[in-house]
Amino acid sequence: MKEDEQHEIEEQDETLYEHHKFEAGPGQSPLRVDKFLMNFIENATRNKIQKAAKTGNIYVNEEKVKQNYKVKAGDVVQVMFEHPPYEFLLTPENIPLDIVYEDDTLLVVNKPAGMVVHPGHGNYSGTLINALIYHFENLPNNSSDRPGLVHRIDKDTSGLLVIAKTEEAMAHLSKQFFDKTSEREYVALVWGNVEEDEGRVEGNIGRHPKNRLQNTVYEGDEAEKGKPAVTHYKVLERFGYVTLVSCQLETGRTHQIRVHMKHIGHTLFNDERYGGEKILKGTTFSKYKQFVDNCFKILPRQALHAKTLGFIHPKTGEAMSFNTEIPEDIQACIEKWRNYAKNQKEVL
């Protein structure tokens, strides 16, 4: 190859932007790169991934590969394009915010279920960040270049988030979350009768080896595959086949409560990603099935709400605590289960 042609290719490579990056774990058996990426990228299609490979946008260990390349343990796979990731092309959108508290340093918002916190693959608009940059100028970026964001909760989880308005607030609040000094309490409805009135779940959390859209608990010799995570739970009310619990986070891993509660046999009610949208406890009567289906319709998401949030104010040093009502959809579902449990007792 001529020197000027080589130089041209290098220049082209320098303009590429990384859209995805994954490292194959130590237990990865050889797998075609298109199939490997299908396990990792939410909402991706095989056709799109193969097209990216054909156009030279997939790299393994910094070398271009075709879609039939076999990914091995330790390989670093990147998907590169000539345009920046859409999630970084942020567009302000006039979306109303439920602001619980605001001053010149920070604000606390109550995020509704169904709203994605920040843009990502398949969700480039309608997010909390799109709303924040419309309503507030010059929000500081966090370490992932997300304006104002100190922490996050899942799309279908409702509840409280603190947003930093200054660089100092971002640094101070982020350190509190990192040091585990912030207070975060969630309310969840889970399948099954949680026997202990309260307990502690400790188990390292990492990507599920077979379903990359899930996380799982790794223990024993495999513990190093995950990151340390601790959840404290307390039973609030029992309804027989489901239980209402309060969960306090000691750490903040992705899907932590969802993963930890499933790990101890109590998957969140209607948590589709983790199998909670099926009847996991109860009778085989068609009447009961109809009742549960009605509950799913009332609450078409996982039964999880970030109810309480506490932290030290970065500027005043004051201990602040915020509390929200349980949303109507979860409340209505709880009421149905409460009545069901009461009727069962009366029959007995």
Side-chain angles (χ1 to χ4, degrees):
M1 187 182 291
K2 293 178 183 176
E3 193 175 322
D4 57 345
E5 286 179 352
Q6 178 65 39
H7 182 64
E8 188 181 335
I9 289 171
E10 285 173 359
E11 277 198 345
Q12 285 176 353
D13 285 353
E14 282 175 6
T15 65
L16 294 176
Y17 296 88
E18 182 180 276
H19 284 234
H20 301 284
K21 183 177 181 179
F22 308 105
E23 183 173 352
Q28 179 68 54
S29 54
L31 182 67
R32 280 174 58 118
V33 71
D34 52 356
K35 288 184 177 180
F36 176 82
L37 287 171
M38 280 288 290
N39 290 337
F40 271 90
I41 304 174
E42 196 168 358
N43 301 327
T45 64
R46 187 88 174 271
N47 188 43
K48 280 184 182 176
I49 290 171
Q50 288 179 339
K51 189 178 175 184
K54 282 174 186 171
T55 51
N57 295 110
I58 296 180
Y59 287 68
V60 175
N61 304 327
E62 301 184 350
E63 297 283 339
K64 284 182 192 177
V65 297
K66 294 179 180 177
Q67 70 262 31
N68 61 356
Y69 175 88
K70 296 281 181 75
V71 176
K72 305 176 294 297
D75 278 352
V76 176
V77 182
Q78 293 169 288
V79 182
M80 314 282 283
F81 289 105
E82 291 177 4
H83 59 85
Y86 293 118
E87 57 262 41
F88 294 111
L89 304 175
L90 296 173
T91 306
E93 294 178 47
N94 187 6
I95 302 167
L97 289 170
D98 180 3
I99 297 175
V100 176
Y101 172 85
E102 182 184 0
D103 61 27
D104 60 353
T105 302
L106 57 86
L107 65 143
V108 175
V109 297
N110 186 18
K111 184 190 84 66
M115 177 185 263
V116 177
V117 170
H118 60 73
H121 189 80
N123 295 292
Y124 301 120
S125 64
T127 75
L128 178 63
I129 282 189
N130 293 110
L132 287 170
I133 61 174
Y134 177 90
H135 294 286
F136 303 97
E137 292 181 355
N138 304 318
L139 290 174
N141 282 349
N142 65 11
S143 58
S144 302
D145 291 327
R146 313 287 189 194
L149 221 58
V150 177
H151 60 127
R152 61 180 290 275
I153 55 179
D154 298 328
K155 173 187 175 183
D156 289 326
T157 300
S158 52
L160 295 171
L161 287 162
V162 60
I163 307 297
K165 292 169 85 173
T166 67
E167 296 283 357
E168 294 77 13
M170 176 66 76
H172 199 287
L173 290 165
S174 296
K175 190 171 190 304
Q176 289 184 55
F177 278 79
F178 181 78
D179 291 343
K180 307 169 191 168
T181 58
S182 59
E183 177 198 359
R184 283 171 291 171
E185 183 211 358
Y186 291 69
V187 170
L189 188 67
V190 301
W191 279 107
N193 182 25
V194 180
E195 290 185 12
E196 302 294 329
D197 287 339
E198 53 187 85
R200 181 177 189 268
V201 188
E202 183 170 6
N204 289 14
I205 291 178
R207 289 263 193 189
H208 195 287
K210 291 180 181 172
N211 184 344
R212 307 303 297 188
L213 302 181
Q214 288 186 8
N215 283 337
T216 191
V217 170
Y218 288 99
E219 297 176 303
D221 294 341
E222 293 193 316
E224 62 184 28
K225 291 182 180 178
K227 292 180 179 177
V230 179
T231 304
H232 302 268
Y233 67 86
K234 186 181 292 185
V235 171
L236 299 176
E237 201 169 347
R238 301 175 190 278
F239 306 121
Y241 298 133
V242 296
T243 307
L244 187 66
V245 296
S246 159
C247 294
Q248 290 261 9
L249 289 185
E250 196 174 299
T251 52
R253 307 299 175 204
T254 301
H255 300 175
Q256 180 170 319
I257 291 171
R258 300 163 72 182
V259 173
H260 269 173
M261 293 312 290
K262 178 174 182 172
H263 181 64
I264 62 168
H266 298 289
T267 304
L268 265 63
F269 186 78
N270 210 11
D271 187 350
E272 187 176 354
R273 182 162 293 185
Y274 288 92
E277 85 289 6
K278 302 180 187 76
I279 294 177
L280 299 181
K281 297 289 178 181
T283 71
T284 56
F285 299 138
S286 57
K287 231 178 182 181
Y288 174 73
K289 184 181 183 304
Q290 186 59 57
F291 165 77
V292 175
D293 285 344
N294 288 338
C295 288
F296 287 156
K297 284 173 187 170
I298 288 170
L299 181 64
R301 62 173 178 113
Q302 69 254 16
L304 185 62
H305 176 65
K307 190 175 189 300
T308 305
L309 179 64
F311 51 85
I312 302 299
H313 194 286
K315 199 171 182 180
T316 65
E318 179 189 353
M320 309 195 79
S321 185
F322 300 92
N323 195 45
T324 53
E325 295 294 321
I326 296 172
E328 286 181 13
D329 57 354
I330 296 182
Q331 200 66 265
C333 186
I334 290 170
E335 199 53 44
K336 277 188 80 68
W337 276 105
R338 189 176 284 135
N339 290 332
Y340 180 86
K342 183 182 173 186
N343 291 336
Q344 290 296 102
K345 281 180 184 174
E346 286 175 358
V347 168
L348 295 170

